[in-house]
Amino acid sequence: MTDAPAASQVRKIRMRPRLAQLMAEKSGGMYVAEALKRADATLETLREPSLTGIDELIVALDALLVAEVGAEPAARIEGLYQLAANIIGLCGAERNVAVQVAARSLCELLDEADGLAPSTLAGIKVHVASIKLLHRAPDNPALQGPILQGLASVLEKRRAENKGQG
């Protein structure tokens, strides 16, 4: 006679995921597809006010660019930077990322600018003109690609000038 323990049976218990429990406890839960559909509808209602906001920021960029020459360069750079950053904040309304890329490039240019030298001002004007072209434009990589590559070239050229001076 052996003193071996009796064979025990293995029982499997399926735990209900905590998320499923929380969803069952709370009323008003929805499927992911429905949540995404509602989010898209909400974004669509916010799209036009955001695009209008970008329009106004572009006008403000233009106004600050033609501001009197005697104005403090550091204050103008800071103002231009803030306007470009605000454009980035509203770019979710655009149907493409080109405006956001252009505005980020402008921010980088301004961030690295020591002052408003003629070459820096020219680069800023190119960036602002590019943002105007890309804003409200359809998603067209054939149009956007060369513009964004040109902005990258302007930024790299400015960086090379800064290295040569530094």
Side-chain angles (χ1 to χ4, degrees):
M1 309 219 158
T2 62
D3 289 334
S8 60
Q9 287 186 343
V10 175
R11 283 190 335 149
K12 292 183 181 178
I13 300 174
R14 285 187 72 119
M15 295 292 293
R16 190 169 182 192
R18 180 155 164 65
L19 180 59
Q21 290 173 348
L22 290 173
M23 295 277 298
E25 292 170 8
K26 300 239 181 200
S27 62
M30 68 179 83
Y31 291 102
V32 172
E34 178 63 24
L36 290 173
K37 189 194 290 184
R38 286 185 184 183
D40 283 342
T42 301
L43 282 177
E44 197 57 41
T45 62
L46 298 174
R47 184 174 314 283
E48 190 55 39
S50 295
L51 292 174
T52 301
I54 293 173
D55 291 334
E56 293 167 359
L57 290 167
I58 291 171
V59 169
L61 278 171
D62 279 336
L64 199 51
L65 271 176
V66 297
E68 56 192 74
V69 178
E72 179 66 32
R76 284 178 70 195
I77 289 172
E78 182 59 35
L80 290 165
Y81 185 94
Q82 188 59 52
L83 292 170
N86 290 343
I87 288 174
I88 293 168
L90 294 174
C91 277
E94 291 283 352
R95 302 235 184 244
N96 60 65
V97 297
V99 173
Q100 183 177 14
V101 171
R104 284 186 190 278
S105 181
L106 176 57
C107 283
E108 287 181 43
L109 179 70
L110 292 165
D111 194 38
E112 297 170 12
D114 292 331
L116 288 176
S119 61
T120 303
L121 255 166
I124 293 168
K125 289 177 182 178
V126 167
H127 276 78
V128 172
S130 298
I131 290 170
K132 286 179 189 178
L133 281 173
L134 296 168
H135 178 53
R136 293 185 183 260
D139 191 13
N140 182 352
L143 167 76
Q144 297 163 355
I147 293 172
L148 296 177
Q149 287 173 348
L151 294 179
S153 297
V154 167
L155 189 57
E156 288 306 313
K157 181 179 177 188
R158 187 67 194 134
R159 286 178 174 154
E161 288 175 7
N162 285 344
K163 274 187 179 178
Q165 293 174 359

